[in-house]
Amino acid sequence: MAEELVLLGFWPSIFGMRVRIALAEKGLKYEYKEEDLWNKSDLLLQMNPVHKKVPVLIHKGKPVCESLILVQYIDEVWHNKSPLLPSDPYQRSVARFWADFVDKKIFDLGRKIWRTRGEEHAAAKKEFIESLKLLEGELGNKPYFGGENLGYVDVVFVPCYSWFYAYEKCGNFSIEEECPKLIAWAKRCMQKESVSKSLVDQEKIYGFVLHMNKVLGIE
Amino acid sequence: MEDEVVLLDLCPSAFAMRVKIALEEKGVKYECKQEDLRNKSPLLLEMNPIHKKVPVLIHNGRPISESLIIVQYIDEVWNHKSPLLPSDPYQRSQALFWADYIDKKIYDSGRRIIWMEKEEQEEAKEELMQTLKTLEGELGDKLYFGGESMGYVDVALVPYTSWFYTYETCGNFSIEEGCPKLITWAKRCKENESVSKALIGPLEVYSFVLQLKKRL
């Protein structure tokens, strides 16, 4: 029986990429609908009336929103294949903590790197690098955050790799120089089809950032 | 072997109150250690080096941070009693969604009502009322967000009701007028021993905020 899955997304969004990786890990077929965030579809407004944001997964007509919640939902419903969260409650709490850390730090600070200038930009860049180093510390010598296989934190964090080139160009720094282990980890993840097929090309993301800066009048 | 459970706490913190309610619901014995956020203990800095914030639950020496993550952990470990999250994955995703909504909206609006003035404060008041009305809509005619008994969303939201008096006094408005059903729900929650034990009174919260304002 078809699972009747529809994913509403926006192509540069790291949040949408997370969901695509999770769906691919579970071997699920779904229909993807690209949203124009400046002209949101009736379906999006109906399925996520509270936040009106993507991604939204519609499973048999019922919507699930917020990417971290979405990935957990996918992991629970299709629990027979490629488990993403650990089974032990303590390990699960650690995974959730680091996923929450990625959401609190990386996205917002990264956005400040490409959208702001001057002191705000400098402060964001500094904190961004510090945050990446903390994540690198958490990875340690493991091949993945999930251990021997891709796990929840890998799925949540690796889409940010699509944006690294844009951050580097806007911030005039090299993430590989600062965090070589993280880059090695990201490349390792990219060898998995679920990741390589879900992540957007780094140059395309940079093109999107340049376009947005023009639209927003940021030099 | 008996469980060793320690909570690093700050009494007026809505986030810490959530954890206390969850522990009480599960009948877990725990030791509460008060933190002074201007003079954080070595234990706090060791147990939450990333954010250096409370609450932190230390279970048999291992720390768990971030209140909603702690509540989920408590629900999973002490799963013999008072389930907080539904067992159905879809219902669970909805509960997680509303708790996340509460986290995204209330603290920030509340903070601006307390600390800002005039237009910024007015804007924050409107946002808070909109948020609470949306939550009231989600509650509907149910006794609790969790249905017949308290659940995850009830635990996430009810501590903020201790802060309502402070928001109302600083902002000169009435939450009950805008959201009477929510106030009724809050009173219903407080009839549960877990909540009445964990929540501190509205006047205590207000006095805490006044002290903070005096310092600045």
Side-chain angles (χ1 to χ4, degrees):
Chain A
M1 187 181 84
E3 292 291 357
E4 291 169 303
L5 285 166
V6 179
L7 177 65
L8 308 182
F10 179 55
W11 69 270
S13 159
I14 61 164
F15 306 110
M17 287 182 230
R18 289 170 175 174
V19 182
R20 298 223 280 269
I21 298 171
L23 291 167
E25 279 287 301
K26 303 291 185 174
L28 293 167
K29 285 194 172 45
Y30 60 97
E31 184 191 347
Y32 177 76
K33 289 190 178 184
E34 181 68 24
E35 281 287 332
D36 174 358
L37 298 188
W38 291 269
N39 187 19
K40 294 175 183 180
S41 72
D42 290 338
L43 182 62
L44 173 57
L45 298 176
Q46 181 201 349
M47 290 289 154
N48 190 359
V50 174
H51 297 303
K52 306 175 179 52
K53 286 183 175 178
V54 289
V56 180
L57 186 72
I58 311 168
H59 183 204
K60 293 182 183 157
K62 297 198 290 189
V64 185
C65 309
E66 295 303 307
S67 64
L68 293 187
I69 294 172
L70 258 167
V71 173
Q72 283 190 72
Y73 175 77
I74 290 166
D75 198 38
E76 287 172 12
V77 173
W78 293 279
H79 54 95
N80 292 322
K81 188 180 178 195
S82 304
L84 297 172
L85 274 161
S87 49
D88 169 68
Y90 185 74
Q91 294 309 326
R92 217 168 20 245
S93 76
V94 173
R96 286 181 180 135
F97 175 87
W98 285 105
D100 175 72
F101 178 83
V102 170
D103 261 10
K104 278 186 164 83
K105 298 282 182 183
I106 306 298
F107 180 72
D108 280 344
L109 292 169
R111 183 191 242 181
K112 284 185 180 167
I113 290 175
W114 64 272
R115 276 208 195 179
T116 69
R117 300 289 178 261
E119 268 177 47
E120 206 183 342
H121 169 92
K125 187 173 136 188
K126 182 168 177 278
E127 205 185 336
F128 180 80
I129 294 169
E130 280 166 10
S131 302
L132 288 184
K133 287 191 165 141
L134 285 170
L135 283 158
E136 207 180 39
E138 172 57 20
L139 177 65
N141 291 322
K142 304 193 295 290
Y144 303 98
F145 286 92
E148 293 301 309
N149 287 305
L150 270 190
Y152 184 64
V153 180
D154 302 277
V155 172
V156 163
F157 183 31
V158 81
C160 297
Y161 180 63
S162 283
W163 282 72
F164 278 6
Y165 178 67
Y167 297 149
E168 287 172 326
K169 293 290 278 187
C170 294
N172 192 28
F173 68 117
S174 160
I175 294 177
E176 185 149 20
E177 259 174 46
E178 302 283 351
C179 301
K181 276 188 171 181
L182 266 189
I183 299 300
W185 158 81
K187 289 179 177 166
R188 190 177 301 125
C189 289
M190 286 291 282
Q191 284 168 13
K192 299 226 166 216
E193 209 181 323
S194 59
V195 177
S196 59
K197 288 205 159 168
S198 305
L199 260 53
V200 175
D201 180 69
Q202 293 197 352
E203 292 267 4
K204 272 194 174 161
I205 296 290
Y206 184 50
F208 169 76
V209 165
L210 290 175
H211 168 75
M212 282 304 298
N213 278 344
K214 238 190 232 162
V215 165
L216 295 167
I218 301 168
E219 298 200 357
Chain B
M1 188 186 82
E2 226 187 65
D3 277 317
E4 225 186 67
V5 182
V6 177
L7 175 66
L8 303 185
D9 180 32
L10 180 72
C11 263
S13 158
F15 305 111
M17 284 187 245
R18 289 169 169 174
V19 178
K20 288 191 265 208
I21 298 171
L23 290 168
E24 294 288 343
E25 277 287 301
K26 303 292 186 170
V28 176
K29 285 196 173 55
Y30 63 100
E31 183 192 346
C32 213
K33 289 191 177 184
Q34 287 307 309
E35 283 290 330
D36 174 358
L37 296 188
R38 286 172 302 164
N39 187 19
K40 294 175 183 181
S41 72
L43 183 62
L44 173 58
L45 299 177
E46 181 197 340
M47 291 289 155
N48 191 359
I50 305 287
H51 299 305
K52 306 177 179 54
K53 286 182 176 180
V54 289
V56 180
L57 189 75
I58 311 170
H59 183 204
N60 295 332
R62 298 196 298 187
I64 304 106
S65 309
E66 297 303 306
S67 65
L68 291 185
I69 294 174
I70 300 173
V71 172
Q72 278 187 70
Y73 175 79
I74 291 168
D75 199 38
E76 288 171 9
V77 171
W78 290 280
N79 57 359
H80 61 296
K81 188 184 175 188
S82 303
L84 297 172
L85 275 162
S87 50
D88 169 70
Y90 185 75
Q91 294 308 326
R92 198 153 52 238
S93 76
Q94 299 308 293
L96 292 172
F97 174 86
W98 286 107
D100 174 72
Y101 175 77
I102 290 161
D103 258 9
K104 278 180 162 81
K105 298 282 186 181
I106 300 187
Y107 181 78
D108 191 59
S109 302
R111 183 186 57 82
R112 280 148 56 215
I113 292 172
I114 292 170
W115 296 103
M116 302 288 148
E117 287 176 352
K118 301 193 181 114
E119 280 139 10
E120 269 227 57
Q121 195 192 49
E122 280 308 306
E123 208 182 270
K125 275 158 67 176
E126 265 177 52
E127 276 175 28
L128 180 71
M129 289 314 295
Q130 186 53 57
T131 300
L132 294 179
K133 285 194 167 112
T134 303
L135 286 163
E136 219 181 32
E138 171 56 22
L139 177 66
D141 291 321
K142 302 195 294 290
L143 291 175
Y144 301 98
F145 287 91
E148 294 297 309
S149 55
M150 284 209 313
Y152 186 69
V153 180
D154 302 277
V155 173
L157 182 59
V158 79
Y160 277 111
T161 63
S162 289
W163 283 74
F164 281 0
Y165 175 75
T166 300
Y167 299 153
E168 287 170 321
T169 310
C170 292
N172 192 27
F173 69 120
S174 161
I175 293 176
E176 182 151 17
E177 258 174 48
C179 297
K181 273 189 171 182
L182 212 57
I183 300 302
T184 308
W185 158 84
K187 289 178 181 161
R188 189 178 302 126
C189 285
K190 283 180 217 165
E191 286 163 16
N192 288 274
E193 205 184 332
S194 58
V195 176
S196 60
K197 272 188 164 180
L199 257 53
I200 72 163
L203 291 175
E204 276 180 77
V205 172
Y206 186 57
S207 140
F208 169 75
V209 169
L210 285 180
Q211 272 181 45
L212 285 180
K213 285 194 168 195
K214 250 189 223 159
R215 279 186 215 149
L216 295 167

